[in-house]
Amino acid sequence: MQGKGLIKFAAISLTIACLYSLSFTWIANKVEKDAQEFAKGDAPKEKSYLDSVASLPVFGNLDYITYQYAKEREIPLGLDLKGGMNVTMEISLSEMVRNLANNSTDANFNAAIKNAELAIAQGDNDFISAFGREFEKVSPNTRLATLFATKENSSNLKVDADNTAVLDFLRKSADGAIDLSFNILRTRIDKFGVTSPNIQKQQGTNRILIELPGVTDPDRVRKLLQGSAKLEFWETYDNTEIFGLLQNVNSILATTAKSVDTTSAAAQDTTKSKLAALGKKDSNKTDSASIKSKLQAEQAKQNPLFALLNPATFQGQDGQSNLRPGPVVGYAALKDTAKVNAYLSSPAIKAVIPQNVKLYWGVKPMTEESKVFELYALKTSSIAGGPALEGDVISDARSDYDQKGNPEVVMVMNADGARAWRSITAAASADPNNKKSVAIVLDNLVYSAPTVQGEIPNGISSISGTFKVEDTQDLANVLKAGRLPAPAKIVSDYVVGPSLGAASISAGLLSTIAGIIFILIFMGMYYSTAGIVANIALLVNLFFLMGVLASLGAVLTLPGIAGIVLSLGMSVDANVLIYERIREEITAGKSVRLAITEGFHKAMPSILDSNITTFLTGVILYIFGQGPIVGFATTLMIGIITSLFAAIFISRLVFEWLLDRKKPISFSIKATENLFKDSKFDFITGRKRFYFLSAAIIVAGIISAFTQGFSLGVDFQGGRAYFVAFDKPVEVEAVRSILIDEFGTAVEVKTFGSSNQVKITTAYLINDNTDQANAQVSEKLASGLKKINPVYEIKDSQKVTPTIADDIKKSAIWAVIFSILVIFLYILIRFKRMAFGFAAILALVHDVLVLLAIFTIFNGWLPFSLDIDQAFVAAILTVMGYSINDTVVVFDRVREYIGQHHSKNEDLPSVINNALNSTLSRTVITGICTIAVLLIIFIFGGEILRGFSFAMLIGVIFGTYSSLFVATPFVVEFIKEKGKA
């Protein structure tokens, strides 16, 4: 075996890397288990415990590994495993366009806006282009510049600009509005305190996808995300002016501790937990002075505020601690900011803080590692009692460079703003020895507080500092918040309750363990010693797969667990291909060592071809999928790579070890020794019977599709869906009747698993994104459910607007078409014959049509959901990957046998029959493993995965069928004339 040393080095390195990545999950889970034992079911107490140890070392002498550090690096759980909320937000570009035109009342302008909105509702994704087209229709002789070349836009748009230039300006403004919204939403989410949030822009659209695992208050999230951004400019105090006030606050807190919530039982328990944690973590250290100082810091009850908020000071040349000049008055760790806020908002403290003093936190930590935030002292305006200036005076802001080449922000104000800005900057810079700062505040968070160097008379000013280019770009976007108030509305959301998440974890673990046990037993029984080697490779593959997922920070979802189990089922395929080749070589009389070498060598083309095609479908799923489907695609792709490494290299190393020690190696037991050997099944002669069978299923499906149609999921048709569990069985018709009375419109109700669970779908007010509409739907649903049975739980809910549903449906169709095209091109390049490519595509189309037929024929007859949704599309693409995997293996052997056909002068059907029979054992064994694993997921994977696993199960069965009875026979149809010639 060549490169054995390199392979060993790679395996050891990967093992160490995986152990390191997985250790953080173990560490975080251990701390959380300690917190649960300490809290004994008290959620606030458990949270207080975790907050108290967040920045403390939790792993031996490695001080940098804190609970927070480990938590950020553990395998994050998706919504379906942890509970939480998935939100798609859409930036209203029509509002942005209206704003840039100063809310023009021009009839043609407003008609073009309305028509463009209708075009977007009908599937057009580019609002700016749609607006341009519609304006040309309603007012062909009017230039857009007459509407948009305003004084505020003069720096970016000329009065004589043509329509193309105006539309380019609008696109640039739209991109800026989306970037701004993204940054604002990201900041709000960071402040919300969600563990492992995910926020990403959906490229090519004006939408932002947000995933918030673990949130339990969806209404609060909706309010937080949809609130309008508020940009303000505040005058500031100097640290020296506020320090006395903070000292007074600290003294009051110390003397009136009983009047604030810091002496509650929960807070006392938190202190005790901190002391216990400190004592536990430092017990093995010899520096007793360090322990003593930490314990004293925890017991500093005489300085409650300053124990959490460090005053802003610096060390002078005389060694004395002096107050640092500027608006920053203190620093606090992220975990302590909530408690500082509680102190400052308590009635006793609010009474002593002057009304003209506001204390706001900075938006970003001083350093990412420390998570320490600055507290700023702001001065209210003497006129309005608020900020000195509102953000709507900003006409432009851009990232630029100063004369020294350092990044800065250039800010331009309108005429009213310029006058006010002149007065503010003059006052701030009046004392040359004590120049003040002006704070830029968005959503009550300080983004920057530059020191004013002098009066700015023309409203154009620059903000410089120790910025990176990314910082100035973000700040420029923030400053334009008042200029581009593009509202962000929730157009799709999906809420999963924590109880459903816990059930999903249990079901996922059960199906995973059961699937692994089945494969281990089957391989060990079928292949004897070689089966044990395959099992070692499979367990190593599982370890590598989880380690890579952890290192990449990939979110683990329920479909992701299904992907892991499926990849394990498919991972045996490489071993089976190798073992069947080895058995052929042994039958031909070669020694075991030589047979192993030849078997690995000859199986390699089929292994690579079959796995590459499946990997390609995983890539397409990753590109076109959303949410849990991306998790499924991620685990599938990583599983393919790790299974190849384990099957090809790890198993080879084990065989080499056994051979070097002259250990006996067997590739079968007595019962399987001659199984499928010399099989002579005729797959070709009766192929037309199978054509007829497939055609009958497909035609029946077409008839059913036209007569009863498909059951479309909410993400394909739009609407609101709820998974509701009652404490007693309910009648579906009774539930439907009551809810129709409540909503006054059609409501679909289906049993979801057991008789006490239903899935409710309605399109009521689905096009109304207002808070009032959402509240009205929730009220009517609650009223109806209480009439059915007052004891119920909404385990998950989903809302998708028709526009989003249409986009999801189109992307799913394109994903299927694109995957078929990619697979066709790969096979064409790899096999260099059109016949193979066309036969493979026909087989794939056959598999998709059969699966669709079964879903429409049996819809309503089976006791679980047969919805056509994103999960179904994921199942279709995965089935296509599996089917082409199987087909390519057969095609590889057919190509090999056709090469022998010319020399032996055999007819083509005989050659292909021989090829099919030679791969039959591999087809059956891989099929048994994969089908058995899918059956386990179907039975034990939980109700959420029932329809998905059923689609996969039927798809794999018919995928195996099509490889034998559709794809390869069609090769005969395409090239038989050429074969005769």
Side-chain angles (χ1 to χ4, degrees):
M1 179 181 177
Q2 295 181 345
K4 188 188 297 186
L6 181 61
I7 294 170
K8 287 182 179 179
F9 175 78
I12 293 171
S13 300
L14 187 57
T15 300
I16 294 172
C18 290
L19 282 172
Y20 177 78
S21 298
L22 290 171
S23 67
F24 295 115
T25 302
W26 178 80
I27 292 168
N29 288 341
K30 186 177 183 303
V31 175
E32 288 165 1
K33 185 178 179 181
D34 292 342
Q36 290 172 357
E37 292 176 354
F38 174 81
K40 293 182 174 58
D42 188 334
K45 186 184 291 187
E46 182 179 333
K47 186 177 184 304
S48 296
Y49 180 98
L50 293 175
D51 287 343
S52 70
V53 301
S55 58
L56 298 176
V58 292
F59 191 69
N61 294 323
L62 300 176
D63 291 343
Y64 73 95
I65 300 183
T66 63
Y67 167 68
Q68 181 177 319
Y69 185 89
K71 190 67 180 174
E72 290 171 351
R73 288 160 178 81
E74 71 170 351
I75 299 178
L77 299 180
L79 305 184
D80 48 5
L81 294 177
K82 191 175 183 179
M85 190 173 186
N86 175 306
V87 173
T88 300
M89 304 202 69
E90 189 171 76
I91 313 305
S92 177
L93 298 184
S94 61
E95 293 295 324
M96 182 211 72
V97 171
R98 283 194 173 96
N99 179 262
L100 290 175
N102 283 338
N103 292 306
S104 172
T105 57
D106 181 81
N108 290 331
F109 168 76
N110 286 289
I113 290 279
K114 185 176 180 180
N115 293 340
E117 290 174 336
L118 291 174
I120 294 298
Q122 294 170 1
D124 194 332
N125 286 326
D126 187 346
F127 178 83
I128 303 301
S129 296
F131 167 72
R133 287 194 308 270
E134 295 302 326
F135 189 82
E136 290 276 355
K137 291 178 184 177
V138 298
S139 185
N141 298 320
T142 305
R143 296 164 70 95
L144 284 168
T146 59
L147 295 166
F148 292 99
T150 62
K151 183 178 180 181
E152 290 79 10
N153 300 333
S154 59
S155 59
N156 295 298
L157 197 62
K158 297 180 180 178
V159 178
D160 59 349
D162 59 20
N163 286 358
T164 301
V166 174
L167 291 176
D168 287 342
F169 163 70
L170 293 179
R171 284 193 187 90
K172 185 176 180 181
S173 299
D175 291 340
I178 295 169
D179 289 341
L180 168 64
S181 300
F182 177 81
N183 289 330
I184 292 172
L185 291 171
R186 181 175 57 188
T187 300
R188 291 178 180 179
I189 290 166
D190 288 342
K191 295 301 176 186
F192 194 76
V194 178
T195 303
S196 303
N198 175 35
I199 175 169
Q200 53 185 285
K201 288 180 281 189
Q202 293 184 319
Q203 297 301 323
T205 72
N206 57 325
R207 297 180 191 133
I208 297 171
L209 176 67
I210 301 168
E211 292 182 340
L212 305 172
V215 299
T216 56
D217 190 349
D219 290 335
R220 181 186 169 205
V221 171
R222 294 186 185 102
K223 185 177 179 180
L224 172 81
L225 295 179
Q226 294 186 119
S228 60
K230 183 175 64 173
L231 176 67
E232 300 165 332
F233 295 90
W234 290 75
E235 295 177 311
T236 63
Y237 287 99
D238 190 78
N239 186 14
T240 55
E241 299 175 276
I242 299 297
F243 182 68
L245 173 63
L246 295 181
Q247 284 183 311
N248 188 26
V249 168
N250 186 63
S251 299
I252 293 173
L253 288 171
T255 56
T256 61
K258 293 182 180 180
S259 66
V260 293
D261 62 358
T262 54
T263 57
S264 66
Q268 291 176 2
D269 288 337
T270 301
T271 302
K272 291 177 182 178
S273 68
K274 286 185 178 181
L275 293 171
L278 286 170
K280 182 179 179 181
K281 301 306 175 187
D282 290 336
S283 61
N284 59 344
K285 296 184 179 180
T286 57
D287 189 356
S288 59
S290 174
I291 298 174
K292 185 177 179 180
S293 64
K294 290 181 180 178
L295 294 175
Q296 287 174 341
E298 288 296 318
Q299 296 169 341
K301 294 181 180 179
Q302 67 274 23
N303 291 306
L305 179 64
F306 291 146
L308 303 173
L309 182 73
N310 294 321
T313 61
F314 70 99
Q315 201 77 14
Q317 294 181 353
D318 57 358
Q320 297 297 316
S321 181
N322 302 307
L323 293 176
R324 185 180 296 277
V328 176
V329 297
Y331 312 97
L334 174 62
K335 67 183 181 67
D336 295 327
T337 55
K339 187 169 287 186
V340 172
N341 290 340
Y343 283 155
L344 297 177
S345 61
S346 64
I349 301 306
K350 287 175 69 175
V352 300
I353 297 178
Q355 292 186 354
N356 61 347
V357 175
K358 298 290 183 183
L359 298 172
Y360 284 176
W361 294 103
V363 68
K364 289 184 178 181
M366 297 173 64
T367 63
E368 287 296 328
E369 294 77 17
S370 65
K371 296 290 184 182
V372 172
F373 288 79
E374 299 167 314
L375 186 66
Y376 290 79
L378 311 183
K379 181 187 296 185
T380 61
S381 168
S382 58
I383 299 175
L389 196 61
E390 299 284 353
D392 57 0
V393 300
I394 300 294
S395 61
D396 189 27
R398 64 182 184 275
S399 174
D400 209 335
Y401 295 91
D402 62 18
Q403 295 178 348
K404 296 181 179 179
N406 298 317
E408 68 173 7
V409 176
V410 176
M411 179 175 64
V412 182
M413 295 183 176
N414 60 25
D416 292 337
R419 284 192 293 271
W421 192 238
R422 180 175 185 171
S423 174
I424 293 168
T425 53
S429 59
D431 184 353
N433 298 319
N434 186 23
K435 294 181 178 179
K436 297 293 182 70
S437 301
V438 173
I440 301 166
V441 177
L442 182 69
D443 286 339
N444 296 334
L445 295 170
V446 179
Y447 275 72
S448 178
T451 302
V452 179
Q453 299 301 324
E455 177 185 306
I456 301 173
N458 56 5
I460 301 175
S461 52
S462 62
I463 304 170
S464 58
T466 56
F467 291 129
K468 298 178 182 177
V469 174
E470 295 81 2
D471 296 331
T472 56
Q473 290 172 343
D474 289 348
L475 184 54
N477 277 334
V478 168
L479 290 170
K480 287 190 286 189
R483 186 71 191 105
L484 296 172
K489 291 295 182 182
I490 294 174
V491 292
S492 171
D493 69 45
Y494 178 42
V495 180
V496 182
S499 63
L500 184 60
S504 297
I505 291 176
S506 177
L509 287 175
L510 182 62
S511 61
T512 301
I513 294 170
I516 292 172
I517 290 174
F518 173 84
I519 295 172
L520 294 176
I521 293 174
F522 180 84
M523 292 297 289
M525 291 180 61
Y526 194 93
Y527 284 112
S528 186
T529 310
I532 296 174
V533 175
N535 289 341
I536 293 172
L538 183 125
L539 294 174
V540 170
N541 169 35
L542 179 62
F543 171 71
F544 285 163
L545 172 56
M546 298 306 297
V548 173
L549 284 173
S551 64
L552 294 178
V555 178
L556 187 61
T557 62
L558 190 56
I561 290 178
I564 292 172
V565 179
L566 178 62
S567 67
L568 293 177
M570 294 174 64
S571 70
V572 303
D573 185 52
N575 286 110
V576 171
L577 283 168
I578 293 168
Y579 291 175
E580 292 303 312
R581 281 289 192 174
I582 292 173
R583 288 169 63 163
E584 290 177 15
E585 299 300 322
I586 291 175
T587 303
K590 295 180 181 178
S591 66
V592 173
R593 182 181 289 275
L594 184 58
I596 290 174
T597 303
E598 289 293 314
F600 273 89
H601 175 71
K602 290 184 177 181
M604 195 61 65
S606 295
I607 292 172
L608 293 178
D609 285 339
S610 60
N611 281 277
I612 287 172
T613 50
T614 308
F615 187 84
L616 289 174
T617 61
V619 171
I620 294 166
L621 262 177
Y622 186 85
I623 294 171
F624 288 95
Q626 294 180 16
I629 303 307
V630 174
F632 174 77
T634 303
T635 55
L636 185 64
M637 289 188 293
I638 295 173
I640 289 171
I641 295 172
T642 56
S643 66
L644 280 176
F645 181 82
I648 295 172
F649 298 114
I650 300 300
S651 60
R652 185 68 185 276
L653 285 175
V654 176
F655 277 127
E656 292 285 340
W657 184 87
L658 292 172
L659 288 169
D660 291 342
R661 284 156 182 75
K662 302 189 182 322
K663 301 286 185 180
I665 301 175
S666 174
F667 288 87
S668 61
I669 60 175
K670 194 164 187 65
T672 62
E673 186 175 1
N674 296 313
L675 204 60
F676 300 108
K677 190 175 183 181
D678 299 325
S679 58
K680 299 294 182 183
F681 294 101
D682 189 350
F683 296 95
I684 303 302
T685 303
R687 62 188 181 277
K688 292 184 180 178
R689 292 196 297 269
F690 297 109
Y691 296 166
F692 177 80
L693 173 63
S694 296
I697 296 173
I698 292 170
V699 169
I702 293 172
I703 294 172
S704 178
F706 278 103
T707 54
Q708 72 171 10
F710 294 97
S711 175
L712 296 181
V714 170
D715 47 0
F716 269 28
Q717 67 177 343
R720 303 173 192 267
Y722 304 90
F723 173 21
V724 183
F726 297 93
D727 68 332
K728 297 177 182 178
V730 293
E731 291 291 335
V732 168
E733 288 303 322
V735 175
R736 183 183 294 112
S737 176
I738 291 173
L739 291 177
I740 288 176
D741 290 341
E742 286 290 336
F743 289 111
T745 185
V747 178
E748 183 183 83
V749 181
K750 296 179 181 178
T751 299
F752 202 69
S754 58
S755 59
N756 68 316
Q757 297 181 155
V758 293
K759 189 164 188 178
I760 301 166
T761 306
T762 178
Y764 183 68
L765 294 181
I766 192 57
N767 287 310
D768 191 340
N769 281 324
T770 62
D771 293 336
Q772 293 81 359
N774 292 326
Q776 186 176 345
V777 173
S778 298
E779 183 180 338
K780 288 183 176 294
L781 178 67
S783 174
L785 294 177
K786 287 176 182 177
K787 291 177 182 177
I788 298 162
N789 186 336
V791 183
Y792 67 88
E793 177 188 1
I794 299 177
K795 292 199 168 186
D796 80 18
S797 64
Q798 188 175 9
K799 169 193 167 186
V800 182
T801 62
T803 302
I804 299 295
D806 189 58
D807 288 350
I808 293 173
K809 191 160 46 178
K810 286 180 180 177
S811 68
I813 294 170
W814 278 112
V816 174
I817 293 173
F818 189 62
S819 61
I820 290 175
L821 178 63
V822 168
I823 290 171
F824 171 75
L825 292 175
Y826 179 82
I827 291 179
L828 184 62
I829 293 169
R830 191 72 180 88
F831 289 88
K832 299 180 175 63
R833 281 180 184 245
M834 294 290 287
F836 286 108
F838 283 132
I841 295 310
L842 281 172
L844 292 180
V845 172
H846 162 275
D847 297 341
V848 172
L849 292 178
V850 167
L851 195 52
L852 286 169
I854 289 176
F855 262 59
T856 180
I857 292 170
F858 291 99
N859 181 34
W861 293 92
L862 296 177
F864 50 85
S865 173
L866 291 181
D867 287 348
I868 307 295
D869 52 17
Q870 285 194 90
F872 176 79
V873 173
I876 279 185
L877 289 176
T878 309
V879 165
M880 288 169 59
Y882 178 86
S883 176
I884 203 66
N885 177 316
D886 207 14
T887 301
V888 164
V889 171
V890 176
F891 280 4
D892 265 319
R893 190 61 69 95
V894 169
R895 178 175 55 181
E896 180 183 331
Y897 274 45
I898 286 178
Q900 301 168 4
H901 159 69
H902 293 291
S903 60
K904 294 182 179 180
N905 199 27
E906 298 176 74
D907 66 326
L908 186 63
S910 298
V911 172
I912 292 182
N913 259 328
N914 291 336
L916 286 170
N917 278 286
S918 69
T919 60
L920 187 59
S921 57
R922 172 263 162 202
T923 301
V924 172
I925 295 166
T926 301
I928 287 174
C929 287
T930 308
I931 290 170
V933 166
L934 288 171
L935 193 60
I936 289 169
I937 298 176
F938 177 75
I939 296 172
F940 300 108
E943 195 59 42
I944 299 297
L945 277 180
R946 196 83 70 206
F948 172 75
S949 56
F950 177 75
M952 295 281 290
L953 184 61
I954 298 300
V956 167
I957 292 172
F958 276 93
T960 304
Y961 160 86
S962 69
S963 298
L964 295 173
F965 302 109
V966 177
T968 315
F970 263 111
V971 172
V972 176
E973 306 294 351
F974 284 125
I975 66 175
K976 64 181 179 180
E977 295 302 325
K978 184 177 179 181
K980 288 180 181 178

